[in-house]
Amino acid sequence: MRKLKSKGHDETVSSQVIDELGGADWQNDERFVSDFVRSRTNRGWGPQRILFALRERGIAGSLLKSCLQHQDFDLRIFETYTRKYGSGAPATTREAGACARFLAQRGYTQEQIRKLFKQLALSAFDTIDELSEHE
């Protein structure tokens, strides 16, 4: 509606057309949200950024609460991180800060970022333990 109004279309006519399209199931908010969330998670967006973008598009209420429930953001943050930085943990605090800022800009929460860094550090320790066992 907002987009049609910004392009100079009459609000009452736009509302009627949107209602008709919704009645014919050509316009469906649930389907839009589902497709939007899937598309953005595939691009590496985190939950905060997705929610913000949906609110900007006028989606509110129960759709916002339920839209992210079926996403595994622990896997998505790992994929986003490894796509940019590889599978190793950051070597310095400066690198860790840059990685954290990148992930925060993508819309991941501080809790999700901390959890990822803990997993990366543990996997680094596992690799060190495996190397020392073979010596």
Side-chain angles (χ1 to χ4, degrees):
M1 178 67 94
R2 172 182 48 84
K3 207 170 198 179
L4 292 171
K5 188 177 179 181
S6 72
K7 297 197 183 253
H9 296 285
D10 183 38
E11 193 170 336
T12 56
V13 173
S14 298
S15 179
Q16 289 174 338
V17 170
I18 289 173
D19 290 342
E20 287 176 24
L21 292 173
D25 202 32
W26 288 3
Q27 186 277 326
N28 183 312
D29 285 345
E30 290 176 18
R31 191 172 51 232
F32 167 76
V33 168
S34 174
D35 290 344
F36 187 87
V37 169
R38 185 176 48 255
S39 166
R40 294 323 189 262
T41 55
N42 288 339
R43 291 183 189 177
W45 286 24
Q48 304 292 36
R49 188 168 176 190
I50 292 171
L51 287 173
F52 179 78
L54 286 171
R55 282 190 198 108
E56 265 189 335
R57 285 161 176 78
I59 304 297
S62 62
L63 270 179
L64 270 182
K65 292 177 185 173
S66 66
C67 70
L68 300 175
Q69 289 177 344
H70 303 293
Q71 297 298 319
D72 183 5
F73 282 105
D74 292 339
L75 175 63
R76 295 297 182 176
I77 192 172
F78 180 75
E79 290 172 348
T80 303
Y81 174 84
T82 55
R83 201 175 312 137
K84 177 134 176 122
Y85 299 104
S87 60
T92 65
T93 54
R94 178 178 231 155
E95 287 178 20
C99 296
R101 281 188 299 279
F102 167 75
L103 293 169
Q105 288 172 343
R106 293 293 212 149
Y108 292 100
T109 64
Q110 291 300 318
E111 180 182 330
Q112 291 168 325
I113 295 168
R114 276 199 274 307
K115 186 175 180 182
L116 171 69
F117 284 167
K118 283 180 185 177
Q119 290 172 340
L120 291 171
L122 289 176
S123 67
F125 286 128
D126 290 343
T127 304
I128 292 169
D129 290 341
E130 289 171 11
L131 291 174
S132 63
E133 288 174 5
H134 295 300
E135 291 179 356

